[in-house]
Amino acid sequence: QKVIDQIVKKDLNLEESIKNLKRCYKAKLDTGAFFIIGFPGETKRDIRETINVALKLFWKYKTRPHLNIARPYEGTALYNKAMETQTLKYHNHKISNIPTLVTLEMMIENEEFDLKHLNTEYKRFQRIYILISGINWLIYTLKNPILFTQTMIKHLIASYKQIPNIKVALTKTYIGVILFPFAIRRKNLY
């Protein structure tokens, strides 16, 4: 809540948002939430807390988290704040493994964090996200073995029809059903 109130200055009550996500989960509605890290004035602890909230919501309510890095585009309030606080840095984007930085050359860095730290935190987020997805898949499989088998076969057949190559079909099925079981939840299966 501190980052939302003091840094982003967005009129958003995190507790109320979480209550609404819980309501959606109980109603079997899919939800997603966007999280941004790397603001001027943010600390390493703030970044870690933001990521932890995103992962906690994914674990508890299956809210699909979308994690991004703050982008200080010229002419925006964020750019002006970064210029004012002298936290705007220029980078060769090829040094990062963060997919959202493909075209980003300007970054915000301060005495608390740099691109390397953001990259490390993003990788940590990805590892835990995949772990939670795997656990969700396991829970789903144990609760619904017949339905799961039917879903796997259906995905495998559809993938094979698109590209008649069994390796490709198996890979697409694995990615679509096992790595990202929230896609199955859209059918209210778990």
Side-chain angles (χ1 to χ4, degrees):
Q1 189 69 55
K2 177 190 127 192
V3 172
I4 293 169
D5 293 341
Q6 297 174 10
I7 298 171
V8 181
K9 296 183 180 167
K10 189 171 187 175
D11 185 22
L12 177 76
N13 183 316
L14 192 56
E15 285 183 31
E16 192 60 36
S17 296
I18 291 171
K19 285 179 189 175
N20 288 329
L21 291 171
K22 184 177 180 179
R23 289 182 192 115
C24 289
Y25 177 73
K26 286 181 177 181
K28 296 187 179 188
L29 297 172
D30 287 331
T31 55
F34 291 87
F35 299 88
I36 302 173
I37 58 174
F39 287 105
E42 203 170 14
T43 65
K44 287 181 179 179
R45 182 180 175 157
D46 296 333
I47 291 168
R48 179 63 62 99
E49 285 179 16
T50 298
I51 290 171
N52 288 345
V53 167
L55 293 168
K56 179 181 175 185
L57 294 174
F58 183 46
W59 175 251
K60 284 183 83 171
Y61 307 122
K62 309 297 182 267
T63 298
R64 189 169 165 195
H66 303 276
L67 182 66
N68 290 293
I69 308 299
R71 295 179 182 217
Y73 292 112
E74 196 168 343
T76 64
L78 181 59
Y79 178 86
N80 294 339
K81 180 72 172 174
M83 292 296 287
E84 175 188 310
T85 57
Q86 298 181 342
T87 54
L88 188 63
K89 307 292 182 216
Y90 292 87
H91 287 280
N92 176 348
H93 65 274
K94 293 178 184 171
I95 64 172
S96 171
N97 292 326
I98 303 172
T100 56
L101 295 183
V102 172
T103 59
L104 186 63
E105 293 179 354
M106 290 183 291
M107 289 283 311
I108 295 170
E109 290 185 358
N110 61 28
E111 61 281 348
E112 278 280 328
F113 66 85
D114 58 10
L115 179 60
K116 185 178 178 183
H117 178 76
L118 292 176
N119 199 24
T120 300
E121 288 297 316
Y122 192 87
K123 285 180 183 178
R124 176 183 160 273
F125 166 79
Q126 286 180 315
R127 284 191 308 273
I128 296 171
Y129 176 84
I130 290 170
L131 176 66
I132 292 171
S133 292
I135 292 169
N136 286 339
W137 168 79
L138 182 61
I139 292 167
Y140 164 77
T141 303
L142 294 173
K143 285 182 178 178
N144 307 286
I146 294 170
L147 205 48
F148 176 76
T149 303
Q150 291 171 342
T151 303
M152 287 290 286
I153 291 168
K154 182 179 171 185
H155 276 267
L156 186 58
I157 291 168
S159 296
Y160 189 78
K161 283 181 180 177
Q162 288 177 349
I163 302 172
N165 178 318
I166 194 64
K167 286 182 181 178
V168 172
L170 285 169
T171 301
K172 286 182 75 173
T173 300
Y174 173 76
I175 290 170
V177 177
I178 296 174
L179 278 185
F180 300 104
F182 51 78
I184 296 170
R185 185 172 182 274
R186 289 189 183 113
K187 298 175 184 165
N188 297 321
L189 300 179
Y190 75 89

